[in-house]
Amino acid sequence: MRKVAAPLLVPALLAGLTACGPGPVNLEPAEDAANPACAKAMVAMPSELNSLQQRETTAQATTAWGDPSSIILKCGVAHSQEPVSDPCVNVNGIDWIVTPTDPQAAQASEQTASGTWQAQTFGRDPAIRVTFQAEQVSSSTLLAELSSAVAQIPQEQACSNLEDSLSNLPAGS
């Protein structure tokens, strides 16, 4: 009887272990996800970001944090060229273009940021784009915590309309 019970017990244990944590986040890779510079940046990504735990993803050069995902990062997105109409911010030596994904929602409440925002590196090829929920994530902390990983991709150009403060980040973040 023991020989029969043991093989039945192993699949049940494995099924129980896989059900314990969240599954991988289903994402599509960016256009240039196979760029070797992305590999250097991705290896340096923090396992915890803005007090959220990193999660496995299904696409190359991507990662996510939180359950459900409050932060999604992709490396290999097309980099922005000058001129940039959106204001740039510099956080720990990294130039970012920070924009709401829905500009009308951002204008509805200027005191407190809400909705989904994106921050994309400027002057780095390939670029990194991070999408985050403003109600759940402090943008200034988020960008500061990503700085050392993003710095693995050399800066080739600086933003010309750079604000030297964090004043362009979503309010309340």
Side-chain angles (χ1 to χ4, degrees), residues 33-83:
N35 190 311
C38 283
K40 291 179 183 179
M42 297 309 294
V43 168
M45 290 294 159
S47 60
E48 184 177 295
L49 186 58
N50 236 92
S51 300
L52 300 170
Q53 293 300 310
Q54 188 176 28
R55 294 187 52 200
E56 183 180 344
T57 60
T58 59
Q60 182 176 357
T62 64
T63 193
W65 292 267
D67 182 23
S69 299
S70 297
I71 305 167
I72 294 176
L73 181 140
K74 290 185 176 188
C75 183
V77 297
H79 64 285
S80 299
Q81 298 287 334
E82 292 278 8

Side-chain angles (χ1 to χ4, degrees), residues 140-159:
S140 56
T141 302
L142 164 76
L143 299 180
E145 290 179 357
L146 287 173
S147 296
S148 63
V150 171
Q152 302 303 308
I153 300 173
Q155 183 168 345
E156 300 171 352
Q157 183 178 14
C159 242

